[in-house]
Amino acid sequence: GGMVACGNSDTGGGSGGDDKIVLGFSQVGAESGWRTANTTSIKEAAGEAGIELKFDDAQQKQENQIKAIRNFIQQKVDVIAFSPVVESGWDTVLKEAKDAKIPVILTDRAVDSADKSLYKTFLGSDFKKEGRLAGEWLVEQKKSASGPVNIVELQGTTGSAPANDRKEGFAGAIAANPNLKIIASQSGDFTRAGGKQVMEQFLKANPKIDVLFAHNDDMGLGALEAITAAGKVPGKDITIITVDAVKDGMQALADGKFNFIAECSPLLGPQLMDLVKKVKAGEEVPARIETEETTFTQEQAKEALPNRKY
Amino acid sequence: MSSTSSTVVRSWRPGLPRRHVPVLATLALLLVMYGIGVSQYRAFSNVQVVFNVFIDNGFVLVVAVGMTFVILTGGIDLSVGSVVAMTAMVSAALLRDGMPAALVLVIALLIGPTLGFLMGCAIHFFDIQPFIVTLAGMFFARGMCTFISGASISITDGFWTGMSQQRIGNPAGNFVSISVLIAFAVVLVAAYVLAYTRFGRNVYAVGGNAQSALLMGLPVARTRIAVYTISGLCSAIGGILLSFYTLSGAPLIAVGMELDVIAAVVIGGTVLTGGSGYVFGTVLGVLVLGVIQTLITFDGSLNSWWTKIVIGGLLFAFILLQRLIGIRFK
Amino acid sequence: MGTGERPVLTMTGISKTFPGVRALHDVDFRLFPGEVHALMGENGAGKSTLIKVLTGVYGTDAGVVTLNGEQVSFSGPMQAAAAGVSTVYQEVNLCTNLSVAENVFIGREPRRLGAVRWGEMRRRARELLARLDLDLDVTAQLGTYSLAVQQMVAIARAIDVRARVLILDEPTSSLDAGEVAQLFRIMRQLRDEGIAILFVTHFLDQVYGIADRITVLRNGTLVGEYRTEELPQFSLVEKMIGQELDVLERLDEQQKRATVAPAGTDPLVDAVELGRRGAVAPFSLRIEAGEVVGLAGLLGSGRTEVARLLFGADRADHGQVRLDGGRSPLRTPVQAIEQGIGFCSENRRAEGIVPELSVRENMILAMQAARGWLRPVPRRRQDELVRRYVEALSIRPANPELPVRNLSGGNQQKVLLARWLITEPRLLILDEPTRGIDVGAKAEIQKLVVQLSDGGMAVLFISAELEEVLRLSHRVAVMRDREMVAQLTNDDSLDADRVMRTIASGTPREEVTR
Amino acid sequence: MTTVADRLRPVTGHRLFWPALVLVVMIAANTVYRPGFLAVEVKNGHLYGTPVDILRLSAPLILVALGMTLVIATGGIDLSVGSLCAISGAIACLHISRAADPDSPSTVLTALALAFGAALVLGAWNGVLVAVIGIQPIIATLILMVAGRGIAQLVTEGQIITINSGPYRAIGLGHLLTLPLAVLIALAAALLVAAFTRRTALGLIVESVGGNAEASRLAGIRSRRIVFLVYVVSAACAALAGFMVTANVSSADGNAAGLWIELDAILAVVIGGTSLAGGRFSLGGTVLGALIIQTLTTTVYAMNISPQTSLLFKAVVVIAVCLVQAPAFRARFRRRRRGVEPGPAAPQREKEQVPA
Ligand SMILES: Nc1ncnc2c1ncn2[C@@H]1O[C@H](COP(=O)(O)OP(=O)(O)OP(=O)(O)O)[C@@H](O)[C@H]1O
Ligand SMILES: Nc1ncnc2c1ncn2[C@@H]1O[C@H](COP(=O)(O)OP(=O)(O)OP(=O)(O)O)[C@@H](O)[C@H]1O
Ligand SMILES: [Mg+2]
Ligand SMILES: [Mg+2]
């Protein structure tokens, strides 16, 4: 609660006298509003739970994250948590953490280590599932479609885990209906400007686009502008499906410009802090915990919008 | 003429300080920065913290050494980050496909220099600016990364994991990785080449004035092409070290690394217009960036954006002081 | 002289065209072992180009080169050097960021097991430079030395190679008499060892002092090859300029300058105890309007430093400059130019030309700077000025839109001179303005200096050629060891001998005339 | 045959010929791939079509590249422009989002003034570091490149600020006389910079400083002041570009706005024929360069080149563009051809070079 920042920030004295838990957390960066909400959630939750947080921002670089984890080990924090920038490449440093007897929790993105003992648990969303949910909703919507349904896809940053997984999940789900065809797929870098620019060209190159699947809200929002400028009505002429459910996206959904959003919640903080306490206390925790997430249709969005936090 | 040996010794001495002032200033500032860390954060004084700086920056160091050669000739190589990533990616992909480690090493170590050689040729023979050629090289190598695989590939090969997890240390538990030793070897070889071989001296001459170097009968073409090849080789070695470090290849790794590396080289006292600088300075430059990073992690209270601002601020403070000290001693 | 032998080097039918300029057309040239062969011609005649074609810097359009009877075609200086052709190019072409020793030896450093032997290299560099009477710190960066020293280092580099052909393109243009004598001694020695030497200079007396044979180029074509003793000086000049001009007469007709220091209460420029630590000891110097003051001294005596201090190019840490009796601070070139001072630097490549810009732009640069960026010199005015000076200084090629980098060395020098003349300064500081300029143009420039000073312009004239200084100056200030040791009135009693003695001997401060 | 070649020489010899040719070839290739590529129609009284998109989208890049041209002409480089875009856009959007009436022109004008002022201050900071303290440009501006992103995110608090302001939106999406406003703004800026550099002596002075700083100083040019000035101009251009980028999507994203635009801008400048070593610069070339880069990006999207290969494609095109432009490359090519047909150059040149 009401702890003012009285402690001189120098040592983080944590593991010394009082038994406040020290958590070292390495964040990917601040590359999107989603990520910032994620950071805020973790910081707030740590404050509420009375956990001392050592926060590090990796600026989207795996190297920086590895460095941070090494430094956490040197500082002898009680628990290390991080959102890996990429899936692979963590064995060495996680082994060091294990040797130093510091438990590790993964958040948001998984790692592909074969040795599952290197980390206690994973807490986060399932990107593939998000893509799948989006695809399944579409299959459901278009099950009566007789002719081909043309889909364009706005991918996230090429090579990033959410982009790969959402693409895969979505493609897997729509395979159920041979009428559904992805006619163009291009990276919009997860940004509004990118989404808009790519969508402009999609619209010019393909006279008939029925569905847009964007890997996040921001690209979808950018694409909205392009669709409007082309004289089409978003949500009607073109069905728009996105992932994330950030505030602007929800607003668009509620306004009827989007048709469906698969949520990817950044509010991991409270769940993470619970886990930290449990892990510190030596309790058993499940190997994989998924964030509580849902999907939104236009009606659901109207209801949910007033009490969205981000 | 009888006292030749004594004159040699004498004339060496007075030359030393002035030329080395920038490097010494950098070293002093680095120590000051380390001192600040020790006084502010408890665990900072652990020997392992210093070792970690080396472990975490071994591959950067190797790449920066290659970049030093290029910048000494007055060029620039923007492709290094991507080549590092491509090398790691190729290694990971080949290992996944079951190729023996030794063969993978050879192939991976050939790609970088080949690309460097081609870029060097384009720069020299067609007189296209290095910035552009190496930018295209950067696009190409990064494109190859995503082309090979959109997702990251883990490495499970025994040799690689061995190299990655081998700790060379003392009983107290402090250790360095093999990569650090490799990086040091590269640094020593590079320092020797620059100081004691004809090629090394030609690098300085070309950087000082390429036109003059040509008229002095130096092999400008060969030197130019060679530095880009060396930079490619260093990037390839860096890529291998990175794949030891992360035991994987990822298409988006080392994005923007070229700027870090260029910054490190320049902070180490090498002038971008070419012709002056030392490998030792580059080592210091890499350490400066590494220590800044460590300081920030130890602080642990910075916001994402404050992290960037503080990195910029520390960089500024460092360069300003370095510059002021340099001016004072001139 | 080895004229009986086969030539070591022949060039036949050489042609070379640059975009827009035919630099060489069907030129023949040959060089015998054991001779000094002077290559003569006006600025832009194609001398340097011929040399660069020979050593493979430029490819040829047509022509054949043979070395020792075998046809060769060097792909670059490296190959040429390997084949025994050692060259000092016009303009010092060394790496100023490297040490003196390295500049002498780079490319053929003494090595053991592939490693450069620094100690050995320094020792040998010191020995070699001692042969040229130079005592330098060979570990210091070459750039810390004056241009003249750099020129000597370049020569040292060239004579060290065991070459069969030695090419010297205007090596003496920045050297003073002593250095030239030293160089000639070595050239003779090399010649006697059977080395063929190609020598380019604009100093006629040097040609007659050392050359055995002369080849004359004009406008990129061969005029002819002559034995020195069979070609009187005036006909050499005629062949170079292609007209029966009496340039030599005109040179002679110039009288000793009148000694009258124009009366005036306040001098135009009054430097009081001006000095800069490590560069030049405090000196006082007054220059009246319309007066030409010469600066004499040996290489490195600090003449250039005096000029730079007066112009504010370097900041003085002692004393001040007063203009018109007033006390206006002069600390930057901008202020100096505002006060009507112009400074034509000796180092035209580093401090003079802006190579990418055109002749026209280079010429109007100082004027434009003085006017400020908001008031561009109208194009018509530019063209008119440029045309006037291209003509007056006979700059060739006469195309003002060519990048100045493409001009021959002497023509670049003229462009710089024009840059300052255009600003119509009250005091013009000329540091080696006639360096690398051909006889005809040199006479023109000297005439111009006289004319300008008659018109009321003050001139500070620095030249390595004492005769020139004496011919033009009203007064001569003598420098020694970075100190102004005397100011001598240039009356009938003053001659080169006396100036040399003043430079050499004790402290004739009492001779100072004011 | 000779006559045709001769008549064409003034055209082919022009320094903008090769970049222009590259642009034409790229557009032609696109048109072959998709015949509708060049189609422009009028929708709601506005021009609509891919060429218009290319022009509109290249506007920010043109702006940034204009400033960059001047910086590069002095022998410097400015890596901070991307961050400056983000900062200026963020400040403007923040002000508008907090204002009571985001649609009022006065709100937008204050926002623009605030953001522009901030950019000028940061440009001056760059200028001081380079011109006064003497730090190498790439490092001096790297500081702001790194810290500037942080500042931009500080302003937006890491969120994307979405605004709903007609006048502000118009900067990116508005139309005037059927043309996108952004294009007109970029055009105006280009003309302004051209007027300032070519109608006054500024261009000459900048080129002179970049060509030989010491010689310029001795010729009486205040080199430092010029160097300082170009960084301020560059920042101003970046600020304008920042407004466009954010107005284009009606939101400010401190992280993504102007990301990597510095590389594109440098690329544009160099493709346009300005040397990174400083000296001569060509504004027309820069504009062409920016158009080439935007066309390249659009091509990737229009041809639906897969994200996996789009970077490879870009690499190939960049190298091709540079090769055709490189005189050394063309010389090689021509020499090989000259063996077949005698070059027409020689006889024609002869006359004009021999001095009368
Ligand atoms: N790289 C070049 N590009 C274009 N023209 C050139 C180039 N180099 C020389 N020229 C031209 O070729 C002609 C011959 O020049 P060169 O340098 O050989 O003269 P030079 O006889 O050495 O004169 P100087 O006595 O002034 O040194 C000149 O008209 C010059 O402008
Ligand atoms: N023979 C020499 N040995 C060592 N150093 C020399 C020699 N000659 C000149 N120098 C150095 O050259 C530098 C420049 O001298 P400066 O330019 O003032 O001379 P200067 O009289 O203008 O000569 P010049 O213009 O003929 O080259 C000085 O630092 C001096 O130490
Ligand atoms: Mg010449
Ligand atoms: Mg001098």
Side-chain angles (χ1 to χ4, degrees):
Chain A
M3 285 236 357
V4 193
C6 60
N8 36 356
S9 71
D10 54 4
T11 63
S15 51
D18 59 273
D19 32 298
K20 207 172 167 192
I21 300 174
V22 181
L23 166 67
F25 182 80
S26 174
Q27 179 63 289
V28 174
E31 76 279 8
S32 64
W34 189 95
R35 187 67 61 190
T36 311
N38 180 244
T39 304
T40 315
S41 161
I42 287 166
K43 284 195 166 168
E44 281 174 7
E48 278 161 22
I51 289 175
E52 178 172 331
L53 179 68
K54 291 234 157 235
F55 179 83
D56 177 81
D57 178 285
Q59 325 248 338
Q60 285 111 282
K61 288 185 190 156
Q62 183 181 23
E63 309 92 276
N64 287 351
Q65 259 183 331
I66 296 179
K67 287 175 203 170
I69 294 171
R70 288 222 161 88
N71 285 325
F72 289 150
I73 297 172
Q74 285 310 306
Q75 289 170 292
K76 304 198 169 58
V77 298
D78 296 312
V79 179
I80 293 173
F82 71 108
S83 304
V85 175
V86 295
E87 288 181 356
S88 52
W90 301 98
D91 289 15
T92 309
V93 70
L94 291 186
K95 225 164 239 160
E96 284 170 29
K98 193 180 171 190
D99 291 352
K101 304 201 170 49
I102 301 176
V104 174
I105 302 172
L106 308 176
T107 66
D108 177 38
R109 298 182 186 178
V111 302
D112 65 356
S113 299
D115 181 359
K116 301 292 178 205
S117 72
L118 290 179
Y119 54 89
K120 288 283 178 247
T121 180
F122 161 84
L123 165 67
S125 332
D126 183 342
F127 300 134
K128 249 180 224 159
K129 186 172 136 204
E130 290 158 5
R132 202 181 63 233
L133 290 176
E136 282 167 358
W137 178 83
L138 184 65
V139 171
E140 179 65 24
Q141 291 293 307
K142 302 282 176 188
K143 64 172 178 255
S144 54
S146 54
V149 175
N150 290 338
I151 306 172
V152 294
E153 182 181 31
L154 284 171
Q155 297 183 31
T157 306
T158 313
S160 67
N164 292 338
D165 291 354
R166 285 172 191 164
K167 183 177 167 62
E168 200 183 319
F170 184 77
I174 61 168
N177 182 347
N179 277 338
L180 301 183
K181 257 205 341 236
I182 298 182
I183 54 167
S185 177
Q186 188 61 254
S187 166
D189 264 334
F190 280 135
T191 64
R192 292 193 192 184
K196 180 174 181 187
Q197 203 177 335
V198 177
M199 193 65 199
E200 279 171 358
Q201 287 316 307
F202 282 172
L203 286 165
K204 275 161 196 135
N206 309 287
K208 182 175 171 293
I209 295 176
D210 304 304
V211 179
L212 163 67
F213 173 51
H215 285 186
N216 76 347
D217 287 341
D218 283 330
M219 288 191 294
L221 289 166
L224 273 189
E225 307 240 5
I227 294 171
T228 319
K232 303 206 166 165
V233 184
K236 303 245 158 34
D237 298 344
I238 297 179
T239 307
I240 301 178
I241 307 168
T242 68
V243 184
D244 266 8
V246 299
K247 201 164 209 155
D248 287 340
M250 288 294 275
Q251 184 67 54
L253 187 59
D255 294 349
K257 294 175 181 162
F258 284 0
N259 301 71
F260 185 75
I261 301 184
E263 187 188 31
C264 177
S265 170
L267 306 181
L268 302 179
Q271 273 175 296
L272 176 62
M273 295 311 146
D274 275 357
L275 275 176
V276 169
K277 282 180 182 164
K278 282 187 189 157
V279 163
K280 172 69 182 161
E283 290 175 34
E284 270 307 305
V285 291
R288 184 180 174 92
I289 302 166
E290 278 184 20
T291 26
E292 294 128 20
E293 285 170 349
T294 172
T295 56
F296 295 99
T297 57
Q298 292 177 341
E299 293 70 40
Q300 288 164 330
K302 277 183 202 131
E303 271 167 49
L305 195 57
N307 31 20
R308 290 294 282 184
K309 271 213 200 150
Y310 62 100
Chain B
M1 281 293 133
S2 55
S3 61
T4 30
S5 57
S6 69
T7 29
V8 169
V9 176
R10 234 183 303 124
S11 64
W12 172 242
R13 285 291 154 216
L16 190 87
R18 210 189 331 141
R19 224 177 318 153
H20 294 263
V21 162
V23 178
L24 292 177
T26 312
L27 181 61
L29 283 172
L30 180 65
L31 293 178
V32 168
M33 227 160 67
Y34 180 72
I36 292 174
V38 170
S39 71
Q40 289 293 309
Y41 309 109
R42 208 194 28 183
F44 208 92
S45 54
N46 292 359
V47 184
Q48 188 60 37
V49 170
V50 179
F51 286 172
N52 278 350
V53 171
F54 281 103
I55 294 175
D56 293 330
N57 291 293
F59 66 98
V60 182
L61 188 54
V62 172
V63 177
V65 165
M67 183 71 84
T68 308
F69 277 84
V70 173
I71 293 185
L72 277 176
T73 64
I76 199 154
D77 188 351
L78 295 180
S79 71
V80 291
S82 303
V83 173
V84 163
M86 179 171 72
T87 310
M89 220 38 207
V90 168
S91 317
L94 292 180
L95 288 170
R96 182 189 56 188
D97 298 347
M99 198 178 267
L103 193 55
V104 172
L105 267 185
V106 171
I107 295 177
L109 283 179
L110 278 179
I111 296 174
T114 309
L115 185 63
F117 176 80
L118 292 178
M119 293 192 299
C121 288
I123 289 164
H124 183 79
F125 291 115
F126 300 134
D127 206 14
I128 311 177
Q129 299 188 37
F131 188 96
I132 295 300
V133 174
T134 57
L135 189 67
M138 167 179 158
F139 289 155
F140 174 79
R142 187 63 68 185
M144 282 312 286
C145 288
T146 41
F147 189 72
I148 293 169
S149 161
S152 58
I153 307 171
S154 294
I155 299 176
T156 48
D157 178 82
F159 176 71
W160 248 259
T161 39
M163 292 299 272
S164 172
Q165 286 159 7
Q166 179 70 44
R167 301 179 192 176
I168 303 162
N170 62 8
N174 296 322
F175 65 93
V176 295
S177 61
I178 293 179
S179 301
V180 176
L181 302 185
I182 296 176
F184 271 114
V186 170
V187 166
L188 289 181
V189 170
Y192 176 84
V193 165
L194 279 180
Y196 285 104
T197 65
R198 239 172 226 185
F199 166 72
R201 301 321 294 170
N202 290 344
V203 167
Y204 282 90
V206 170
N209 187 334
Q211 184 61 28
S212 292
L214 187 75
L215 292 182
M216 285 164 96
L218 303 181
V220 175
R222 216 190 302 151
T223 309
R224 272 243 190 91
I225 295 171
V227 294
Y228 289 94
T229 314
I230 287 178
S231 177
L233 177 65
C234 285
S235 303
I237 299 177
I240 298 284
L241 294 190
L242 181 67
S243 66
F244 290 162
Y245 183 68
T246 64
L247 278 183
S248 69
L252 289 184
I253 203 163
V255 168
M257 182 184 178
E258 50 283 343
L259 284 178
D260 289 346
V261 168
I262 293 169
V265 172
V266 174
I267 288 171
T270 302
V271 186
L272 271 176
T273 44
S276 101
Y278 300 92
V279 170
F280 181 59
T282 299
V283 176
L284 294 180
V286 171
L287 291 183
V288 167
L289 295 186
V291 171
I292 287 181
Q293 188 71 41
T294 308
L295 278 175
I296 284 175
T297 325
F298 266 79
D299 182 79
S301 67
L302 289 176
N303 217 325
S304 296
W305 36 96
W306 279 111
T307 303
K308 288 179 186 161
I309 298 176
V310 170
I311 290 180
L314 287 177
L315 205 58
F316 168 68
F318 188 90
I319 288 164
L320 186 70
L321 284 174
Q322 187 189 38
R323 172 95 195 133
L324 292 182
I325 294 174
I327 291 175
R328 261 197 81 79
F329 276 79
K330 243 183 199 148
Chain C
M1 257 186 300
T3 29
E5 308 167 33
R6 279 195 318 153
V8 59
L9 174 89
T10 66
M11 302 177 77
T12 8
I14 304 290
S15 293
K16 174 73 194 169
T17 309
F18 293 112
V21 182
R22 197 181 55 178
L24 293 173
H25 182 66
D26 197 17
V27 173
D28 298 338
F29 178 78
R30 52 193 190 136
L31 193 59
F32 289 94
E35 72 164 355
V36 175
H37 192 141
L39 184 59
M40 303 293 293
E42 286 181 293
N43 293 135
K47 305 178 293 292
S48 301
T49 306
L50 187 70
I51 290 168
K52 288 185 173 171
V53 163
L54 167 61
T55 60
V57 178
Y58 300 143
T60 49
D61 299 342
V64 177
V65 181
T66 69
L67 189 67
N68 282 337
E70 279 172 38
Q71 186 170 338
V72 289
S73 165
F74 299 128
S75 66
M78 190 171 47
Q79 265 200 355
V85 179
S86 179
T87 315
V88 176
Y89 295 91
Q90 190 180 9
E91 317 280 345
V92 181
N93 278 293
L94 297 176
C95 294
T96 47
N97 62 322
L98 301 181
S99 70
V100 172
E102 272 195 272
N103 269 294
V104 176
F105 283 109
I106 192 162
R108 51 195 154 78
E109 300 93 337
R111 290 187 296 181
R112 185 184 295 133
L113 300 174
V116 174
R117 296 167 65 195
W118 285 90
E120 170 77 4
M121 187 164 89
R122 291 195 197 101
R123 190 180 58 74
R124 279 175 44 189
R126 224 170 279 127
E127 276 173 24
L128 195 63
L129 290 169
R131 253 178 101 182
L132 290 164
D133 258 5
L134 235 49
D135 177 24
L136 308 177
D137 172 9
V138 294
T139 62
Q141 271 192 10
L142 183 72
T144 59
Y145 287 103
S146 74
L147 206 62
V149 175
Q150 294 182 20
Q151 180 74 64
M152 294 297 276
V153 173
I155 294 170
R157 176 182 172 81
I159 61 176
D160 177 63
V161 206
R162 267 168 295 282
R164 280 169 299 176
V165 176
L166 176 63
I167 300 174
L168 303 168
D169 194 354
E170 299 201 30
T172 55
S173 62
S174 44
L175 303 186
D176 63 27
E179 263 75 25
V180 171
Q182 197 69 23
L183 173 64
F184 280 10
R185 204 171 44 73
I186 291 172
M187 280 167 68
R188 287 197 188 95
Q189 195 183 324
L190 293 172
R191 173 183 66 187
D192 295 343
E193 289 167 12
I195 292 174
I197 300 177
L198 168 54
F199 178 58
V200 178
T201 185
H202 288 292
F203 297 102
L204 298 182
D205 43 351
Q206 289 180 4
V207 173
Y208 285 91
I210 193 155
D212 304 309
R213 200 192 289 265
I214 298 174
T215 292
V216 179
L217 295 183
R218 185 169 68 232
N219 269 334
T221 54
L222 177 69
V223 176
E225 189 198 82
Y226 315 89
R227 292 175 148 279
T228 311
E229 60 270 20
E230 289 163 7
L231 186 69
Q233 193 154 334
F234 69 88
S235 44
L236 169 60
V237 173
E238 274 180 11
K239 295 204 187 310
M240 278 164 59
I241 59 182
Q243 288 164 340
E244 298 205 1
L245 259 186
D246 41 2
V247 184
L248 291 179
E249 271 171 52
R250 263 201 288 151
L251 280 183
D252 284 340
E253 125 205 334
Q254 282 177 15
Q255 301 274 309
K256 267 248 132 108
R257 295 305 300 273
T259 47
V260 269
T265 42
D266 284 323
L268 175 65
V269 178
D270 188 5
V272 186
E273 288 298 308
L274 199 63
R276 178 181 162 91
R277 214 166 305 123
V280 76
F283 65 91
S284 295
L285 182 67
R286 295 154 67 104
I287 308 178
E288 312 281 347
E291 191 182 26
V292 179
V293 175
L295 267 188
L298 297 182
L299 197 161
S301 57
R303 292 164 300 178
T304 297
E305 266 82 353
V306 166
R308 291 177 65 92
L309 283 186
L310 276 175
F311 186 63
D314 294 330
R315 196 165 286 196
D317 56 13
H318 197 280
Q320 69 205 25
V321 184
R322 289 189 206 146
L323 282 141
D324 304 322
R327 185 187 295 233
S328 36
L330 259 193
R331 297 214 257 118
T332 63
V334 177
Q335 289 164 345
I337 291 169
E338 272 167 7
Q339 297 294 328
I341 303 183
F343 169 58
C344 194
S345 162
E346 66 173 340
N347 194 346
R348 73 170 159 250
R349 203 165 70 165
E351 300 172 356
I353 61 165
V354 184
E356 298 298 310
L357 296 190
S358 68
V359 170
R360 171 176 58 81
E361 288 165 322
N362 267 285
M363 277 191 184
I364 61 145
L365 197 58
M367 180 192 215
Q368 185 59 65
R371 287 166 65 107
W373 63 271
L374 264 178
R375 293 198 302 137
V377 183
R379 185 56 192 259
R380 188 179 309 173
R381 180 90 202 286
Q382 291 185 21
D383 288 339
E384 175 195 306
L385 285 168
V386 170
R387 190 162 358 96
R388 170 153 22 115
Y389 283 98
V390 163
E391 224 161 79
L393 302 173
S394 55
I395 292 173
R396 254 168 278 161
N399 175 1
E401 297 309 319
L402 234 53
V404 80
R405 140 177 69 84
N406 288 356
L407 259 57
S408 77
N411 282 307
Q412 291 179 2
Q413 183 68 44
K414 295 183 201 167
V415 170
L416 280 191
L417 199 60
R419 174 191 293 174
W420 291 108
L421 294 179
I422 285 177
T423 63
E424 297 179 352
R426 293 192 295 165
L427 168 65
L428 182 56
I429 303 170
L430 297 173
D431 195 356
E432 313 273 4
T434 54
R435 163 176 302 167
I437 281 192
D438 65 43
V439 234
K442 188 184 263 179
E444 293 296 334
I445 288 175
Q446 292 178 358
K447 218 170 72 186
L448 202 69
V449 169
V450 173
Q451 254 175 28
L452 292 170
S453 79
D454 288 347
M457 187 189 292
V459 177
L460 182 67
F461 191 89
I462 305 176
S463 172
E465 262 183 285
L466 203 47
E467 283 70 36
E468 197 179 38
V469 173
L470 285 173
R471 200 178 299 132
L472 296 176
S473 314
H474 296 105
R475 273 189 304 138
V476 178
V478 180
M479 302 289 301
R480 185 200 322 124
D481 286 345
R482 333 201 127 247
E483 206 179 329
M484 194 176 284
V485 289
Q487 292 178 17
L488 310 169
T489 307
N490 191 7
D491 52 24
D492 288 336
S493 70
L494 193 67
D495 54 14
D497 212 35
R498 211 178 115 210
V499 176
M500 284 312 290
R501 260 183 292 128
T502 314
I503 291 174
S505 72
T507 51
R509 273 232 179 223
E510 58 287 6
E511 272 190 83
V512 171
T513 48
R514 271 288 171 88
Chain D
M1 203 174 72
T2 331
T3 48
V4 175
D6 279 350
R7 218 170 300 145
L8 277 180
R9 180 147 301 107
V11 182
T12 59
H14 195 276
R15 62 172 192 275
L16 292 187
F17 172 76
W18 293 101
L21 183 72
V22 167
L23 186 58
V24 169
V25 167
M26 278 168 61
I27 291 174
N30 267 301
T31 317
V32 170
Y33 180 81
R34 170 156 68 80
F37 186 84
L38 278 179
V40 175
E41 52 187 312
V42 180
K43 262 193 189 164
N44 311 331
H46 308 151
L47 289 179
Y48 177 87
T50 307
V52 186
D53 283 344
I54 292 178
L55 284 176
R56 184 172 49 80
L57 288 169
S58 55
L61 184 57
I62 289 177
L63 281 172
V64 172
L66 282 176
M68 188 70 80
T69 309
L70 296 184
V71 172
I72 288 180
T74 63
I77 201 157
D78 189 351
L79 295 181
S80 69
V81 285
S83 294
L84 284 168
C85 279
I87 294 176
S88 59
I91 292 179
C93 289
L94 183 73
H95 182 84
I96 294 175
S97 73
R98 294 219 172 133
D101 178 12
D103 266 327
S104 92
S106 70
T107 308
V108 172
L109 282 181
T110 344
L112 294 184
L114 274 175
F116 202 71
L120 290 187
V121 170
L122 292 173
W125 156 273
N126 277 339
V128 167
L129 292 195
V130 176
V132 180
I133 304 181
I135 300 176
Q136 297 187 56
I138 200 166
I139 291 299
T141 55
L142 181 74
I143 292 172
L144 196 52
M145 177 187 182
V146 175
R149 281 273 158 223
I151 295 173
Q153 289 184 317
L154 182 69
V155 173
T156 64
E157 294 183 324
Q159 298 292 347
I160 297 178
I161 302 179
T162 307
I163 55 167
N164 199 350
S165 159
Y168 192 75
R169 205 181 136 82
I171 301 174
L173 295 171
H175 286 79
L176 190 70
L177 307 171
T178 75
L179 277 175
L181 197 56
V183 176
L184 297 177
I185 293 175
L187 191 69
L191 291 179
L192 195 70
V193 174
F196 260 94
T197 50
R198 298 304 183 198
R199 291 282 145 194
T200 72
L202 209 55
L204 173 65
I205 289 175
V206 165
E207 287 177 339
S208 166
V209 170
N212 187 340
E214 179 62 9
S216 307
R217 187 179 79 94
L218 290 181
I221 290 171
R222 294 176 167 93
S223 312
R224 286 185 177 189
R225 214 179 274 188
I226 295 293
V227 171
F228 174 82
L229 190 71
V230 293
Y231 285 92
V232 176
V233 171
S234 170
C237 291
L240 280 183
F243 300 149
M244 272 181 202
V245 168
T246 49
N248 195 20
V249 286
S250 283
S251 61
D253 180 345
N255 186 68
L259 197 61
W260 300 124
I261 202 174
E262 56 277 345
L263 281 189
D264 277 347
I266 297 169
L267 197 55
V269 171
V270 177
I271 287 180
T274 302
S275 159
L276 276 172
R280 285 269 184 235
F281 67 90
S282 157
L283 292 173
T286 295
V287 172
L288 265 179
L291 288 174
I292 289 177
I293 290 171
Q294 185 55 51
T295 311
L296 183 58
T297 314
T298 305
T299 305
V300 169
Y301 297 146
M303 292 196 175
N304 202 11
I305 294 166
S306 82
Q308 274 74 31
T309 42
S310 65
L311 271 175
L312 292 178
F313 173 79
K314 218 168 164 179
V316 170
V317 173
V318 166
I319 276 296
V321 170
C322 291
L323 278 184
V324 292
Q325 279 209 68
F329 179 77
R330 292 207 305 275
R332 247 155 232 268
F333 184 63
R334 211 173 304 143
R335 209 172 305 146
R336 203 158 308 148
R337 259 197 351 197
R338 196 183 292 174
V340 188
E341 47 175 288
Q348 203 225 357
R349 294 280 147 181
E350 233 166 8
K351 271 172 260 147
E352 68 189 47
Q353 66 93 8
V354 178

